[in-house]
Amino acid sequence: MEILQVNKARTKEELETVFAIRNQIFAGEQGSPAAMESSDDNDAVHYIALMDNNPCGACRWRKTEDGYKLEQFAVLPEFRNKRVGQALLAAALADIPQNSELIYLNAQADAVGLYARFGFAIEGDLFEEDGIQQYRMVKV
């Protein structure tokens, strides 16, 4: 049985692993500019997912002027469809203060279903960011 866990990334090594996963997915696989993917890292709370102690995914959240924004969800290809994204999302949501005024994210079009299962709803029209189709979603 595979053991999946999600932890806050606290050490330099854990953060480097988070950034490596994001770089592989966003810059390598999706062709997004790598520099954009590291913006606001110092103001964010980062998470790393481990499957049998092997790094397999990452995400972050940060407080913005609009509320709490969930971002940078990345799961390595060989770990997809193993509930890694769900575990990352659940961990991040559990860590955001309960009295939060707004929790939101920009969901890639193919991930809308995952976020909807956690109580997010599409707000607005489909838009493109760095060549990727996305929807703004808010927690209702």
Side-chain angles (χ1 to χ4, degrees), residues 24-69:
Q24 179 179 335
I25 301 307
F26 298 123
E29 184 178 308
Q30 297 180 348
S32 295
M36 185 279 303
E37 301 307 334
S38 63
S39 63
D40 301 312
D41 277 333
N42 291 334
D43 298 325
V45 177
H46 299 270
Y47 298 86
I48 185 168
L50 305 165
M51 179 83 64
D52 292 334
N53 291 318
N54 295 307
C56 61
C59 72
R60 74 180 189 189
W61 66 260
R62 63 187 173 92
K63 179 88 167 86
T64 71
E65 60 187 34
D66 295 327
Y68 289 87
K69 186 175 185 186

Side-chain angles (χ1 to χ4, degrees), residues 76-130:
L76 296 175
E78 61 270 28
F79 295 98
R80 292 183 185 152
N81 299 312
K82 295 186 176 191
R83 301 185 181 264
V84 176
Q86 291 177 23
L88 284 163
L89 183 53
L93 285 172
D95 198 36
I96 292 175
Q98 295 295 322
N99 60 350
S100 303
E101 62 276 10
L102 175 68
I103 301 172
Y104 68 104
L105 52 83
N106 292 338
Q108 292 186 14
D110 61 354
V112 166
L114 166 65
Y115 300 117
R117 287 193 299 276
F118 281 82
F120 285 85
I122 292 174
E123 180 180 87
D125 296 326
L126 184 68
F127 66 94
E128 186 175 304
E129 185 174 71
D130 291 321

